[in-house]
Amino acid sequence: MPFSHILGQDTAIGTLVRALEAGRVHHAYRFEGPPGVGKELAAVALSQALVCTGGDPLGCGRCDACRRAAARSDGRPAAPLHPDVQIVAKNFYPAAVIGRSRDELTEISVDQVRSIVLAHAAYPPHEGRARVFIVRDAEDLSVGAANAFLKTLEEPRPGTHFILLTSRGDRLLNTIRSRTLPVRFAPLSEALIRRVLRDRGVPEGRHDLAVELAAGSASTALDLADEEQTASRDAFVKGVLDAAAARDLGPAVAFAESVDRDKGALKDDLRALNAALAREARAAVASDPRRAGLSARRYAAVSRAVAQLERNASPSLAMASLIAELRSVVG
C-alpha cells in the first residue's frame, strides 16, 4: 500500500486516509514539517491514491497508474512518469522547458507556474481520474509565482489537487496559507532515525552525533552520517580545539581564514562542535565539575558564533572571534 512505508507520521497519514476513505479529499493541502520527515513520500502516496485505477481508495500500489505516479524519468527533470502527476520545484526544469533564458537557482519563478501549472490545470486529466501538482519547498515560490497561483489554487477544476510541501510555512504568503489545508508532519523520534541509519547500513559509530544534530530529520541524519562529511566534521572540531589550545594566535588566525565560507555548512560544523562540547560536559559533571564548567562556557561561546552567522556576520570574522573567546576559557 502506498502509505504503508511512511513511518512515524500516524497523525498526518491518518488525516489523509480518512479523507480518501470518505471520498472528501481537499483540493489543496499544505504539508508542513521539518525536512526529511516524510512529507514528499506522503505526497507521492496521496497522488497514487488519487490516480489509482485498481479500485482501492487508498491506492493499490500495483496498478500501472500507481507505479507510474511513483516512478521518475531519467535525466532532468526527474519527473513522474504519470502524465497527471507533476512536480513544481526550484531549478527542477531546464530553463528552456519553462521559457526562461536561465535556470531558477534561487526561487520558483512565475514562468514555471505558468508553464507547468496554469497551462495544464485548466484542462481535464489525461487519464480521467485526477490531476495532482506537488509543489516541493513551496516557500521558494517567488511573489509573482505565488500570486499567479492564487486563482487556480482557490477555484481549481474538479479532480485537480495541489500538495504544497514546506518546512517554513511562515514564509508563504498569507493568501497561499488561507487557501490550503494544513497537515502537520512531526520530527521523527530518535529510535526511528536510528532504525533508518541501520537500514541504510550506516556504521553504529556514526549514529550518535548524526541523531543528535538531525533535529528529527532522517535525510539530515543520513547526510550527517556520510563518511566524508563525518571525517570533515571531525577535522573541523579538532582544528577549532587545537587552535584554541595553541600557545599563540598564529594557528587561530590560520584556521579562521581556512574555514568554509558557506554559512550553512559552517553553522552545521559549529553545531557539531557544540554537540561534542555538550557530551564532554555531561561526561565530566560528576567527576570534574571544573572541566564541565569550562565545556559549558565554550558551548555558550559557540552558540553566540552561530547567532552571529545568522545575523549575517562574516564567517572568517565570526571564527576568529570564537577562537579568541575559546582561548580565554581554556583555563
Side-chain angles (χ1 to χ4, degrees):
M1 300 292 289
F3 289 101
S4 62
H5 63 292
I6 302 169
L7 305 175
Q9 300 296 349
D10 293 350
T11 300
I13 300 308
T15 297
L16 300 176
V17 166
R18 287 191 295 274
L20 287 164
E21 290 177 336
R24 302 180 68 175
V25 179
H26 200 270
H27 71 274
Y29 285 105
R30 186 175 75 252
F31 289 3
E32 289 193 351
V37 297
K39 299 190 300 295
E40 188 159 346
L41 290 175
V44 172
L46 179 57
S47 71
Q48 288 178 285
L50 290 169
V51 302
C52 177
T53 57
D56 190 322
L58 303 183
C60 69
R62 299 180 301 274
C63 69
D64 181 63
C66 279
R67 291 197 301 270
R68 286 184 291 133
R72 297 290 178 265
S73 59
D74 295 329
R76 183 179 178 222
L81 296 183
H82 196 294
D84 293 323
V85 180
Q86 292 176 283
I87 291 176
V88 175
K90 178 178 68 180
N91 204 29
F92 186 72
Y93 297 93
V97 171
I98 54 176
R100 290 174 60 86
S101 59
R102 289 179 289 185
D103 286 341
E104 305 162 297
L105 298 179
T106 60
E107 62 186 13
I108 300 171
S109 71
V110 67
D111 300 299
Q112 183 177 164
V113 169
R114 287 171 177 158
S115 59
I116 302 302
V117 180
L118 303 186
H120 298 92
Y123 300 98
H126 289 281
E127 299 186 9
R129 284 274 299 167
R131 187 186 291 277
V132 186
F133 296 92
I134 299 172
V135 185
R136 185 185 292 164
D137 296 324
E139 66 271 18
D140 288 337
L141 284 163
S142 70
V143 174
N147 285 327
F149 224 139
L150 289 178
K151 180 65 174 177
T152 300
L153 194 61
E154 185 174 24
E155 298 178 357
R157 62 170 294 115
T160 298
H161 299 269
F162 299 93
I163 310 169
L164 278 62
L165 315 179
T166 181
S167 58
R168 294 297 307 270
D170 58 310
R171 292 187 177 180
L172 293 173
L173 293 182
N174 287 334
T175 46
I176 293 287
R177 292 176 59 82
S178 68
R179 288 165 171 79
T180 52
L181 186 68
V183 179
R184 314 290 184 188
F185 285 74
L188 300 178
S189 69
E190 178 178 315
L192 188 51
I193 292 178
R194 290 184 185 277
R195 173 179 166 183
V196 170
L197 293 173
R198 284 195 299 271
D199 290 346
R200 295 293 185 90
V202 176
E204 292 283 343
R206 298 184 204 152
H207 289 195
D208 288 348
L209 186 58
V211 170
E212 189 169 349
L213 297 178
S217 167
S219 62
T220 300
L222 288 167
D223 287 343
L224 290 166
D226 174 77
E227 183 175 8
E228 185 175 333
Q229 285 205 32
T230 298
S232 174
R233 194 167 54 243
D234 290 348
F236 175 87
V237 171
K238 183 178 185 301
V240 172
L241 296 179
D242 286 350
R247 289 180 177 274
D248 57 59
L249 285 172
V253 172
F255 188 84
E257 291 177 347
S258 71
V259 297
D260 195 328
R261 295 303 194 272
D262 181 274
K263 291 183 180 179
L266 181 54
K267 284 190 288 186
D268 287 342
D269 285 340
L270 288 172
R271 292 185 180 107
L273 173 58
N274 253 356
L277 292 170
R279 289 197 304 274
E280 183 179 277
R282 288 194 296 267
V285 70
S287 60
D288 191 347
R290 178 178 174 279
R291 181 182 174 191
L294 290 174
S295 296
R297 288 165 61 193
R298 287 179 171 184
Y299 183 100
V302 175
S303 298
R304 285 191 288 273
V306 172
Q308 289 173 5
L309 289 171
E310 289 174 344
R311 293 194 296 268
N312 213 28
S314 158
S316 58
L317 290 177
M319 284 304 302
S321 175
L322 170 62
I323 294 173
E325 188 169 358
L326 292 178
R327 287 172 61 82
S328 72
V329 298
V330 167

